[in-house]
PDB file of all heavy atoms in Angstrom:
ATOM      1  N   GLU A   1      -6.529   1.205 -15.455  1.00  0.00           N
ATOM      2  CA  GLU A   1      -6.248   1.222 -14.014  1.00  0.00           C
ATOM      3  C   GLU A   1      -5.701   2.557 -13.537  1.00  0.00           C
ATOM      4  O   GLU A   1      -5.725   2.856 -12.336  1.00  0.00           O
ATOM      5  CB  GLU A   1      -5.276   0.096 -13.639  1.00  0.00           C
ATOM      6  CG  GLU A   1      -3.904   0.173 -14.292  1.00  0.00           C
ATOM      7  CD  GLU A   1      -3.861  -0.496 -15.664  1.00  0.00           C
ATOM      8  OE1 GLU A   1      -4.940  -0.821 -16.207  1.00  0.00           O
ATOM      9  OE2 GLU A   1      -2.744  -0.693 -16.189  1.00  0.00           O
ATOM     10  N   ASN A   2      -5.231   3.401 -14.457  1.00  0.00           N
ATOM     11  CA  ASN A   2      -4.772   4.752 -14.109  1.00  0.00           C
ATOM     12  C   ASN A   2      -5.845   5.806 -14.360  1.00  0.00           C
ATOM     13  O   ASN A   2      -5.563   7.002 -14.347  1.00  0.00           O
ATOM     14  CB  ASN A   2      -3.515   5.091 -14.911  1.00  0.00           C
ATOM     15  CG  ASN A   2      -2.361   4.160 -14.584  1.00  0.00           C
ATOM     16  OD1 ASN A   2      -2.091   3.895 -13.417  1.00  0.00           O
ATOM     17  ND2 ASN A   2      -1.690   3.649 -15.609  1.00  0.00           N
ATOM     18  N   LEU A   3      -7.071   5.347 -14.607  1.00  0.00           N
ATOM     19  CA  LEU A   3      -8.238   6.212 -14.838  1.00  0.00           C
ATOM     20  C   LEU A   3      -8.122   7.019 -16.125  1.00  0.00           C
ATOM     21  O   LEU A   3      -8.760   8.062 -16.269  1.00  0.00           O
ATOM     22  CB  LEU A   3      -8.491   7.142 -13.638  1.00  0.00           C
ATOM     23  CG  LEU A   3      -8.613   6.463 -12.266  1.00  0.00           C
ATOM     24  CD1 LEU A   3      -8.906   7.500 -11.192  1.00  0.00           C
ATOM     25  CD2 LEU A   3      -9.692   5.395 -12.280  1.00  0.00           C
ATOM     26  N   LYS A   4      -7.325   6.542 -17.069  1.00  0.00           N
ATOM     27  CA  LYS A   4      -7.193   7.185 -18.375  1.00  0.00           C
ATOM     28  C   LYS A   4      -8.160   6.533 -19.364  1.00  0.00           C
ATOM     29  O   LYS A   4      -8.234   5.298 -19.446  1.00  0.00           O
ATOM     30  CB  LYS A   4      -5.765   7.056 -18.902  1.00  0.00           C
ATOM     31  CG  LYS A   4      -4.705   7.686 -17.998  1.00  0.00           C
ATOM     32  CD  LYS A   4      -4.892   9.184 -17.865  1.00  0.00           C
ATOM     33  CE  LYS A   4      -3.782   9.805 -17.025  1.00  0.00           C
ATOM     34  NZ  LYS A   4      -4.002  11.259 -16.829  1.00  0.00           N
ATOM     35  N   PRO A   5      -8.914   7.343 -20.135  1.00  0.00           N
ATOM     36  CA  PRO A   5      -9.895   6.771 -21.066  1.00  0.00           C
ATOM     37  C   PRO A   5      -9.238   5.897 -22.139  1.00  0.00           C
ATOM     38  O   PRO A   5      -8.156   6.210 -22.637  1.00  0.00           O
ATOM     39  CB  PRO A   5     -10.545   8.006 -21.698  1.00  0.00           C
ATOM     40  CG  PRO A   5     -10.286   9.126 -20.741  1.00  0.00           C
ATOM     41  CD  PRO A   5      -8.962   8.816 -20.108  1.00  0.00           C
ATOM     42  N   ILE A   6      -9.917   4.814 -22.473  1.00  0.00           N
ATOM     43  CA  ILE A   6      -9.500   3.947 -23.577  1.00  0.00           C
ATOM     44  C   ILE A   6     -10.366   4.342 -24.773  1.00  0.00           C
ATOM     45  O   ILE A   6     -11.468   3.823 -24.976  1.00  0.00           O
ATOM     46  CB  ILE A   6      -9.683   2.462 -23.208  1.00  0.00           C
ATOM     47  CG1 ILE A   6      -8.953   2.146 -21.886  1.00  0.00           C
ATOM     48  CG2 ILE A   6      -9.180   1.562 -24.331  1.00  0.00           C
ATOM     49  CD1 ILE A   6      -9.242   0.758 -21.338  1.00  0.00           C
ATOM     50  N   PHE A   7      -9.879   5.284 -25.583  1.00  0.00           N
ATOM     51  CA  PHE A   7     -10.703   5.915 -26.612  1.00  0.00           C
ATOM     52  C   PHE A   7     -11.140   4.932 -27.701  1.00  0.00           C
ATOM     53  O   PHE A   7     -12.221   5.077 -28.277  1.00  0.00           O
ATOM     54  CB  PHE A   7      -9.948   7.091 -27.238  1.00  0.00           C
ATOM     55  CG  PHE A   7      -9.815   8.269 -26.315  1.00  0.00           C
ATOM     56  CD1 PHE A   7      -8.636   8.487 -25.613  1.00  0.00           C
ATOM     57  CD2 PHE A   7     -10.865   9.154 -26.139  1.00  0.00           C
ATOM     58  CE1 PHE A   7      -8.509   9.567 -24.750  1.00  0.00           C
ATOM     59  CE2 PHE A   7     -10.746  10.233 -25.287  1.00  0.00           C
ATOM     60  CZ  PHE A   7      -9.565  10.445 -24.586  1.00  0.00           C
ATOM     61  N   GLU A   8     -10.307   3.925 -27.989  1.00  0.00           N
ATOM     62  CA  GLU A   8     -10.668   2.992 -29.062  1.00  0.00           C
ATOM     63  C   GLU A   8     -11.874   2.125 -28.683  1.00  0.00           C
ATOM     64  O   GLU A   8     -12.466   1.473 -29.549  1.00  0.00           O
ATOM     65  CB  GLU A   8      -9.484   2.114 -29.430  1.00  0.00           C
ATOM     66  CG  GLU A   8      -8.871   1.319 -28.292  1.00  0.00           C
ATOM     67  CD  GLU A   8      -7.738   2.060 -27.588  1.00  0.00           C
ATOM     68  OE1 GLU A   8      -7.724   3.314 -27.644  1.00  0.00           O
ATOM     69  OE2 GLU A   8      -6.876   1.382 -27.016  1.00  0.00           O
ATOM     70  N   LYS A   9     -12.266   2.130 -27.415  1.00  0.00           N
ATOM     71  CA  LYS A   9     -13.443   1.375 -26.974  1.00  0.00           C
ATOM     72  C   LYS A   9     -14.629   2.292 -26.666  1.00  0.00           C
ATOM     73  O   LYS A   9     -15.590   1.875 -26.026  1.00  0.00           O
ATOM     74  CB  LYS A   9     -13.103   0.540 -25.742  1.00  0.00           C
ATOM     75  CG  LYS A   9     -12.093  -0.568 -25.998  1.00  0.00           C
ATOM     76  CD  LYS A   9     -11.878  -1.424 -24.761  1.00  0.00           C
ATOM     77  CE  LYS A   9     -10.894  -2.547 -25.037  1.00  0.00           C
ATOM     78  NZ  LYS A   9     -10.692  -3.415 -23.843  1.00  0.00           N
ATOM     79  N   SER A  10     -14.565   3.531 -27.127  1.00  0.00           N
ATOM     80  CA  SER A  10     -15.639   4.487 -26.836  1.00  0.00           C
ATOM     81  C   SER A  10     -16.918   4.131 -27.583  1.00  0.00           C
ATOM     82  O   SER A  10     -16.888   3.421 -28.602  1.00  0.00           O
ATOM     83  CB  SER A  10     -15.190   5.904 -27.198  1.00  0.00           C
ATOM     84  OG  SER A  10     -14.982   6.015 -28.586  1.00  0.00           O
ATOM     85  N   PHE A  11     -18.038   4.627 -27.067  1.00  0.00           N
ATOM     86  CA  PHE A  11     -19.343   4.396 -27.693  1.00  0.00           C
ATOM     87  C   PHE A  11     -20.242   5.594 -27.392  1.00  0.00           C
ATOM     88  O   PHE A  11     -20.010   6.334 -26.428  1.00  0.00           O
ATOM     89  CB  PHE A  11     -19.982   3.102 -27.184  1.00  0.00           C
ATOM     90  CG  PHE A  11     -20.118   3.026 -25.682  1.00  0.00           C
ATOM     91  CD1 PHE A  11     -21.294   3.403 -25.036  1.00  0.00           C
ATOM     92  CD2 PHE A  11     -19.056   2.568 -24.901  1.00  0.00           C
ATOM     93  CE1 PHE A  11     -21.413   3.319 -23.661  1.00  0.00           C
ATOM     94  CE2 PHE A  11     -19.165   2.493 -23.511  1.00  0.00           C
ATOM     95  CZ  PHE A  11     -20.342   2.872 -22.890  1.00  0.00           C
ATOM     96  N   ASN A  12     -21.256   5.784 -28.224  1.00  0.00           N
ATOM     97  CA  ASN A  12     -22.157   6.923 -28.087  1.00  0.00           C
ATOM     98  C   ASN A  12     -23.415   6.541 -27.304  1.00  0.00           C
ATOM     99  O   ASN A  12     -23.929   5.426 -27.445  1.00  0.00           O
ATOM    100  CB  ASN A  12     -22.560   7.481 -29.450  1.00  0.00           C
ATOM    101  CG  ASN A  12     -21.417   8.201 -30.146  1.00  0.00           C
ATOM    102  OD1 ASN A  12     -20.356   8.419 -29.545  1.00  0.00           O
ATOM    103  ND2 ASN A  12     -21.607   8.566 -31.397  1.00  0.00           N
ATOM    104  N   LEU A  13     -23.886   7.484 -26.502  1.00  0.00           N
ATOM    105  CA  LEU A  13     -25.163   7.353 -25.809  1.00  0.00           C
ATOM    106  C   LEU A  13     -26.025   8.557 -26.177  1.00  0.00           C
ATOM    107  O   LEU A  13     -25.585   9.700 -26.051  1.00  0.00           O
ATOM    108  CB  LEU A  13     -24.961   7.310 -24.290  1.00  0.00           C
ATOM    109  CG  LEU A  13     -24.299   6.048 -23.710  1.00  0.00           C
ATOM    110  CD1 LEU A  13     -23.922   6.274 -22.253  1.00  0.00           C
ATOM    111  CD2 LEU A  13     -25.230   4.841 -23.831  1.00  0.00           C
ATOM    112  N   SER A  14     -27.233   8.294 -26.630  1.00  0.00           N
ATOM    113  CA  SER A  14     -28.146   9.374 -27.006  1.00  0.00           C
ATOM    114  C   SER A  14     -28.807   9.961 -25.765  1.00  0.00           C
ATOM    115  O   SER A  14     -29.268   9.224 -24.883  1.00  0.00           O
ATOM    116  CB  SER A  14     -29.212   8.836 -27.960  1.00  0.00           C
ATOM    117  OG  SER A  14     -30.196   9.822 -28.210  1.00  0.00           O
ATOM    118  N   CYS A  15     -28.832  11.296 -25.666  1.00  0.00           N
ATOM    119  CA  CYS A  15     -29.513  11.963 -24.554  1.00  0.00           C
ATOM    120  C   CYS A  15     -29.650  13.444 -24.868  1.00  0.00           C
ATOM    121  O   CYS A  15     -28.888  13.996 -25.672  1.00  0.00           O
ATOM    122  CB  CYS A  15     -28.754  11.780 -23.239  1.00  0.00           C
ATOM    123  SG  CYS A  15     -27.124  12.567 -23.212  1.00  0.00           S
ATOM    124  N   ASP A  16     -30.643  14.086 -24.251  1.00  0.00           N
ATOM    125  CA  ASP A  16     -30.734  15.544 -24.339  1.00  0.00           C
ATOM    126  C   ASP A  16     -30.502  16.181 -22.971  1.00  0.00           C
ATOM    127  O   ASP A  16     -30.673  17.387 -22.798  1.00  0.00           O
ATOM    128  CB  ASP A  16     -32.088  15.979 -24.920  1.00  0.00           C
ATOM    129  CG  ASP A  16     -33.265  15.659 -24.011  1.00  0.00           C
ATOM    130  OD1 ASP A  16     -33.066  14.968 -22.983  1.00  0.00           O
ATOM    131  OD2 ASP A  16     -34.389  16.091 -24.329  1.00  0.00           O
ATOM    132  N   THR A  17     -30.101  15.344 -21.991  1.00  0.00           N
ATOM    133  CA  THR A  17     -29.832  15.826 -20.636  1.00  0.00           C
ATOM    134  C   THR A  17     -28.668  15.037 -20.058  1.00  0.00           C
ATOM    135  O   THR A  17     -28.702  13.803 -20.045  1.00  0.00           O
ATOM    136  CB  THR A  17     -31.074  15.646 -19.730  1.00  0.00           C
ATOM    137  OG1 THR A  17     -32.190  16.302 -20.321  1.00  0.00           O
ATOM    138  CG2 THR A  17     -30.818  16.228 -18.341  1.00  0.00           C
ATOM    139  N   LEU A  18     -27.636  15.741 -19.607  1.00  0.00           N
ATOM    140  CA  LEU A  18     -26.508  15.120 -18.904  1.00  0.00           C
ATOM    141  C   LEU A  18     -26.501  15.638 -17.479  1.00  0.00           C
ATOM    142  O   LEU A  18     -26.489  16.851 -17.254  1.00  0.00           O
ATOM    143  CB  LEU A  18     -25.183  15.449 -19.592  1.00  0.00           C
ATOM    144  CG  LEU A  18     -23.915  14.944 -18.876  1.00  0.00           C
ATOM    145  CD1 LEU A  18     -23.889  13.419 -18.819  1.00  0.00           C
ATOM    146  CD2 LEU A  18     -22.653  15.473 -19.562  1.00  0.00           C
ATOM    147  N   ILE A  19     -26.526  14.705 -16.534  1.00  0.00           N
ATOM    148  CA  ILE A  19     -26.593  15.063 -15.116  1.00  0.00           C
ATOM    149  C   ILE A  19     -25.276  14.675 -14.453  1.00  0.00           C
ATOM    150  O   ILE A  19     -24.819  13.535 -14.570  1.00  0.00           O
ATOM    151  CB  ILE A  19     -27.774  14.351 -14.433  1.00  0.00           C
ATOM    152  CG1 ILE A  19     -29.091  14.758 -15.115  1.00  0.00           C
ATOM    153  CG2 ILE A  19     -27.822  14.671 -12.948  1.00  0.00           C
ATOM    154  CD1 ILE A  19     -30.283  13.939 -14.686  1.00  0.00           C
ATOM    155  N   LEU A  20     -24.670  15.639 -13.765  1.00  0.00           N
ATOM    156  CA  LEU A  20     -23.378  15.424 -13.116  1.00  0.00           C
ATOM    157  C   LEU A  20     -23.572  15.160 -11.628  1.00  0.00           C
ATOM    158  O   LEU A  20     -24.163  15.972 -10.912  1.00  0.00           O
ATOM    159  CB  LEU A  20     -22.483  16.648 -13.305  1.00  0.00           C
ATOM    160  CG  LEU A  20     -22.271  17.122 -14.748  1.00  0.00           C
ATOM    161  CD1 LEU A  20     -21.390  18.362 -14.761  1.00  0.00           C
ATOM    162  CD2 LEU A  20     -21.672  16.018 -15.604  1.00  0.00           C
ATOM    163  N   SER A  21     -23.064  14.021 -11.175  1.00  0.00           N
ATOM    164  CA  SER A  21     -23.085  13.682  -9.751  1.00  0.00           C
ATOM    165  C   SER A  21     -21.659  13.283  -9.377  1.00  0.00           C
ATOM    166  O   SER A  21     -21.359  12.120  -9.111  1.00  0.00           O
ATOM    167  CB  SER A  21     -24.068  12.538  -9.489  1.00  0.00           C
ATOM    168  OG  SER A  21     -24.119  12.203  -8.120  1.00  0.00           O
ATOM    169  N   VAL A  22     -20.771  14.274  -9.409  1.00  0.00           N
ATOM    170  CA  VAL A  22     -19.329  14.003  -9.374  1.00  0.00           C
ATOM    171  C   VAL A  22     -18.651  14.556  -8.121  1.00  0.00           C
ATOM    172  O   VAL A  22     -17.468  14.866  -8.132  1.00  0.00           O
ATOM    173  CB  VAL A  22     -18.656  14.571 -10.643  1.00  0.00           C
ATOM    174  CG1 VAL A  22     -19.081  13.780 -11.855  1.00  0.00           C
ATOM    175  CG2 VAL A  22     -18.978  16.052 -10.836  1.00  0.00           C
ATOM    176  N   GLY A  23     -19.400  14.648  -7.040  1.00  0.00           N
ATOM    177  CA  GLY A  23     -18.771  15.024  -5.786  1.00  0.00           C
ATOM    178  C   GLY A  23     -19.298  16.304  -5.186  1.00  0.00           C
ATOM    179  O   GLY A  23     -19.910  17.129  -5.864  1.00  0.00           O
ATOM    180  N   LEU A  24     -19.050  16.460  -3.895  1.00  0.00           N
ATOM    181  CA  LEU A  24     -19.477  17.618  -3.120  1.00  0.00           C
ATOM    182  C   LEU A  24     -18.264  18.270  -2.476  1.00  0.00           C
ATOM    183  O   LEU A  24     -17.316  17.585  -2.082  1.00  0.00           O
ATOM    184  CB  LEU A  24     -20.490  17.203  -2.055  1.00  0.00           C
ATOM    185  CG  LEU A  24     -21.772  16.544  -2.576  1.00  0.00           C
ATOM    186  CD1 LEU A  24     -22.548  15.894  -1.432  1.00  0.00           C
ATOM    187  CD2 LEU A  24     -22.646  17.555  -3.298  1.00  0.00           C
ATOM    188  N   ILE A  25     -18.311  19.588  -2.362  1.00  0.00           N
ATOM    189  CA  ILE A  25     -17.198  20.354  -1.814  1.00  0.00           C
ATOM    190  C   ILE A  25     -17.707  21.169  -0.630  1.00  0.00           C
ATOM    191  O   ILE A  25     -18.619  21.985  -0.782  1.00  0.00           O
ATOM    192  CB  ILE A  25     -16.609  21.320  -2.867  1.00  0.00           C
ATOM    193  CG1 ILE A  25     -16.225  20.559  -4.135  1.00  0.00           C
ATOM    194  CG2 ILE A  25     -15.416  22.083  -2.295  1.00  0.00           C
ATOM    195  CD1 ILE A  25     -15.908  21.470  -5.308  1.00  0.00           C
ATOM    196  N   PRO A  26     -17.176  20.969   0.586  1.00  0.00           N
ATOM    197  CA  PRO A  26     -17.597  21.789   1.722  1.00  0.00           C
ATOM    198  C   PRO A  26     -17.410  23.283   1.451  1.00  0.00           C
ATOM    199  O   PRO A  26     -16.407  23.698   0.873  1.00  0.00           O
ATOM    200  CB  PRO A  26     -16.682  21.310   2.859  1.00  0.00           C
ATOM    201  CG  PRO A  26     -16.343  19.897   2.491  1.00  0.00           C
ATOM    202  CD  PRO A  26     -16.222  19.913   0.982  1.00  0.00           C
ATOM    203  N   GLU A  27     -18.391  24.084   1.875  1.00  0.00           N
ATOM    204  CA  GLU A  27     -18.383  25.542   1.661  1.00  0.00           C
ATOM    205  C   GLU A  27     -17.560  26.217   2.758  1.00  0.00           C
ATOM    206  O   GLU A  27     -18.080  26.488   3.841  1.00  0.00           O
ATOM    207  CB  GLU A  27     -19.817  26.076   1.710  1.00  0.00           C
ATOM    208  CG  GLU A  27     -20.662  25.703   0.517  1.00  0.00           C
ATOM    209  CD  GLU A  27     -20.725  26.818  -0.514  1.00  0.00           C
ATOM    210  OE1 GLU A  27     -19.865  27.716  -0.470  1.00  0.00           O
ATOM    211  OE2 GLU A  27     -21.635  26.791  -1.341  1.00  0.00           O
ATOM    212  N   ASN A  28     -16.300  26.511   2.485  1.00  0.00           N
ATOM    213  CA  ASN A  28     -15.431  27.001   3.556  1.00  0.00           C
ATOM    214  C   ASN A  28     -14.739  28.321   3.256  1.00  0.00           C
ATOM    215  O   ASN A  28     -13.708  28.638   3.851  1.00  0.00           O
ATOM    216  CB  ASN A  28     -14.401  25.928   3.908  1.00  0.00           C
ATOM    217  CG  ASN A  28     -14.951  24.942   4.922  1.00  0.00           C
ATOM    218  OD1 ASN A  28     -15.222  25.303   6.067  1.00  0.00           O
ATOM    219  ND2 ASN A  28     -15.144  23.703   4.505  1.00  0.00           N
ATOM    220  N   GLU A  29     -15.330  29.113   2.366  1.00  0.00           N
ATOM    221  CA  GLU A  29     -14.752  30.436   2.112  1.00  0.00           C
ATOM    222  C   GLU A  29     -14.757  31.288   3.384  1.00  0.00           C
ATOM    223  O   GLU A  29     -13.778  31.994   3.692  1.00  0.00           O
ATOM    224  CB  GLU A  29     -15.518  31.133   0.990  1.00  0.00           C
ATOM    225  CG  GLU A  29     -15.249  30.566  -0.397  1.00  0.00           C
ATOM    226  CD  GLU A  29     -15.907  29.223  -0.651  1.00  0.00           C
ATOM    227  OE1 GLU A  29     -16.828  28.852   0.119  1.00  0.00           O
ATOM    228  OE2 GLU A  29     -15.506  28.541  -1.603  1.00  0.00           O
ATOM    229  N   LEU A  30     -15.849  31.234   4.144  1.00  0.00           N
ATOM    230  CA  LEU A  30     -15.911  31.999   5.398  1.00  0.00           C
ATOM    231  C   LEU A  30     -14.920  31.462   6.421  1.00  0.00           C
ATOM    232  O   LEU A  30     -14.313  32.228   7.175  1.00  0.00           O
ATOM    233  CB  LEU A  30     -17.335  31.959   5.970  1.00  0.00           C
ATOM    234  CG  LEU A  30     -18.414  32.700   5.188  1.00  0.00           C
ATOM    235  CD1 LEU A  30     -19.785  32.457   5.806  1.00  0.00           C
ATOM    236  CD2 LEU A  30     -18.121  34.202   5.153  1.00  0.00           C
ATOM    237  N   SER A  31     -14.752  30.147   6.451  1.00  0.00           N
ATOM    238  CA  SER A  31     -13.799  29.539   7.390  1.00  0.00           C
ATOM    239  C   SER A  31     -12.389  30.069   7.139  1.00  0.00           C
ATOM    240  O   SER A  31     -11.647  30.397   8.083  1.00  0.00           O
ATOM    241  CB  SER A  31     -13.821  28.017   7.248  1.00  0.00           C
ATOM    242  OG  SER A  31     -15.132  27.509   7.333  1.00  0.00           O
ATOM    243  N   LEU A  32     -12.008  30.163   5.867  1.00  0.00           N
ATOM    244  CA  LEU A  32     -10.679  30.666   5.528  1.00  0.00           C
ATOM    245  C   LEU A  32     -10.509  32.118   5.939  1.00  0.00           C
ATOM    246  O   LEU A  32      -9.415  32.533   6.348  1.00  0.00           O
ATOM    247  CB  LEU A  32     -10.435  30.504   4.028  1.00  0.00           C
ATOM    248  CG  LEU A  32     -10.275  29.056   3.531  1.00  0.00           C
ATOM    249  CD1 LEU A  32     -10.251  29.011   2.011  1.00  0.00           C
ATOM    250  CD2 LEU A  32      -9.009  28.425   4.102  1.00  0.00           C
ATOM    251  N   MET A  33     -11.587  32.913   5.827  1.00  0.00           N
ATOM    252  CA  MET A  33     -11.515  34.312   6.268  1.00  0.00           C
ATOM    253  C   MET A  33     -11.106  34.417   7.732  1.00  0.00           C
ATOM    254  O   MET A  33     -10.389  35.340   8.128  1.00  0.00           O
ATOM    255  CB  MET A  33     -12.873  34.998   6.089  1.00  0.00           C
ATOM    256  CG  MET A  33     -13.242  35.351   4.681  1.00  0.00           C
ATOM    257  SD  MET A  33     -14.813  36.262   4.697  1.00  0.00           S
ATOM    258  CE  MET A  33     -15.080  36.457   2.940  1.00  0.00           C
ATOM    259  N   ALA A  34     -11.573  33.471   8.544  1.00  0.00           N
ATOM    260  CA  ALA A  34     -11.295  33.511   9.977  1.00  0.00           C
ATOM    261  C   ALA A  34      -9.973  32.840  10.333  1.00  0.00           C
ATOM    262  O   ALA A  34      -9.616  32.773  11.508  1.00  0.00           O
ATOM    263  CB  ALA A  34     -12.435  32.844  10.743  1.00  0.00           C
ATOM    264  N   GLY A  35      -9.247  32.336   9.335  1.00  0.00           N
ATOM    265  CA  GLY A  35      -7.966  31.697   9.600  1.00  0.00           C
ATOM    266  C   GLY A  35      -8.062  30.267  10.068  1.00  0.00           C
ATOM    267  O   GLY A  35      -7.117  29.727  10.649  1.00  0.00           O
ATOM    268  N   VAL A  36      -9.200  29.610   9.801  1.00  0.00           N
ATOM    269  CA  VAL A  36      -9.395  28.225  10.212  1.00  0.00           C
ATOM    270  C   VAL A  36      -8.573  27.306   9.313  1.00  0.00           C
ATOM    271  O   VAL A  36      -8.574  27.441   8.084  1.00  0.00           O
ATOM    272  CB  VAL A  36     -10.891  27.853  10.135  1.00  0.00           C
ATOM    273  CG1 VAL A  36     -11.100  26.356  10.290  1.00  0.00           C
ATOM    274  CG2 VAL A  36     -11.675  28.612  11.202  1.00  0.00           C
ATOM    275  N   GLU A  37      -7.879  26.340   9.909  1.00  0.00           N
ATOM    276  CA  GLU A  37      -7.107  25.366   9.143  1.00  0.00           C
ATOM    277  C   GLU A  37      -8.047  24.349   8.508  1.00  0.00           C
ATOM    278  O   GLU A  37      -8.946  23.816   9.178  1.00  0.00           O
ATOM    279  CB  GLU A  37      -6.112  24.644  10.056  1.00  0.00           C
ATOM    280  CG  GLU A  37      -5.272  23.590   9.331  1.00  0.00           C
ATOM    281  CD  GLU A  37      -4.418  22.758  10.271  1.00  0.00           C
ATOM    282  OE1 GLU A  37      -4.307  23.101  11.470  1.00  0.00           O
ATOM    283  OE2 GLU A  37      -3.859  21.729   9.806  1.00  0.00           O
ATOM    284  N   LEU A  38      -7.836  24.045   7.219  1.00  0.00           N
ATOM    285  CA  LEU A  38      -8.651  23.064   6.522  1.00  0.00           C
ATOM    286  C   LEU A  38      -7.879  21.765   6.323  1.00  0.00           C
ATOM    287  O   LEU A  38      -6.668  21.774   6.121  1.00  0.00           O
ATOM    288  CB  LEU A  38      -9.101  23.598   5.160  1.00  0.00           C
ATOM    289  CG  LEU A  38      -9.965  24.863   5.137  1.00  0.00           C
ATOM    290  CD1 LEU A  38     -10.453  25.135   3.722  1.00  0.00           C
ATOM    291  CD2 LEU A  38     -11.132  24.763   6.103  1.00  0.00           C
ATOM    292  N   ASP A  39      -8.612  20.655   6.376  1.00  0.00           N
ATOM    293  CA  ASP A  39      -8.039  19.340   6.099  1.00  0.00           C
ATOM    294  C   ASP A  39      -7.993  19.164   4.580  1.00  0.00           C
ATOM    295  O   ASP A  39      -9.030  19.255   3.917  1.00  0.00           O
ATOM    296  CB  ASP A  39      -8.923  18.260   6.733  1.00  0.00           C
ATOM    297  CG  ASP A  39      -8.348  16.862   6.593  1.00  0.00           C
ATOM    298  OD1 ASP A  39      -7.822  16.531   5.505  1.00  0.00           O
ATOM    299  OD2 ASP A  39      -8.431  16.079   7.554  1.00  0.00           O
ATOM    300  N   PRO A  40      -6.823  18.905   3.992  1.00  0.00           N
ATOM    301  CA  PRO A  40      -6.747  18.789   2.522  1.00  0.00           C
ATOM    302  C   PRO A  40      -7.503  17.587   1.966  1.00  0.00           C
ATOM    303  O   PRO A  40      -7.823  17.567   0.775  1.00  0.00           O
ATOM    304  CB  PRO A  40      -5.241  18.660   2.259  1.00  0.00           C
ATOM    305  CG  PRO A  40      -4.665  18.159   3.538  1.00  0.00           C
ATOM    306  CD  PRO A  40      -5.509  18.741   4.629  1.00  0.00           C
ATOM    307  N   ILE A  41      -7.811  16.604   2.788  1.00  0.00           N
ATOM    308  CA  ILE A  41      -8.538  15.420   2.320  1.00  0.00           C
ATOM    309  C   ILE A  41     -10.045  15.661   2.340  1.00  0.00           C
ATOM    310  O   ILE A  41     -10.740  15.457   1.339  1.00  0.00           O
ATOM    311  CB  ILE A  41      -8.190  14.181   3.165  1.00  0.00           C
ATOM    312  CG1 ILE A  41      -6.680  13.909   3.107  1.00  0.00           C
ATOM    313  CG2 ILE A  41      -8.988  12.969   2.684  1.00  0.00           C
ATOM    314  CD1 ILE A  41      -6.164  13.600   1.722  1.00  0.00           C
ATOM    315  N   THR A  42     -10.599  16.103   3.464  1.00  0.00           N
ATOM    316  CA  THR A  42     -12.051  16.309   3.566  1.00  0.00           C
ATOM    317  C   THR A  42     -12.486  17.635   2.955  1.00  0.00           C
ATOM    318  O   THR A  42     -13.641  17.782   2.559  1.00  0.00           O
ATOM    319  CB  THR A  42     -12.502  16.282   5.031  1.00  0.00           C
ATOM    320  OG1 THR A  42     -11.905  17.400   5.737  1.00  0.00           O
ATOM    321  CG2 THR A  42     -12.092  14.985   5.712  1.00  0.00           C
TER     322      THR A  42
END
């Protein structure tokens, strides 16, 4: 429930490709240059 792995219950999956779909991050480097305030949540 704390999102910590339970290692004693681990198992192997065979693959030659691992695909990550773990979130998107807004591209705001330019926004920061202009002094725009960012929302820490979004």
Side-chain angles (χ1 to χ4, degrees):
E1 62 273 12
N2 297 314
L3 307 182
K4 300 297 183 183
I6 306 172
F7 289 100
E8 56 269 25
K9 294 184 179 181
S10 65
F11 55 95
N12 289 352
L13 290 169
S14 173
C15 65
D16 67 352
T17 304
L18 175 64
I19 300 170
L20 306 179
S21 181
V22 291
L24 301 167
I25 306 168
E27 288 262 18
N28 274 294
E29 287 74 16
L30 292 175
S31 308
L32 291 171
M33 285 184 184
V36 169
E37 179 187 350
L38 299 187
D39 185 319
I41 302 298
T42 64

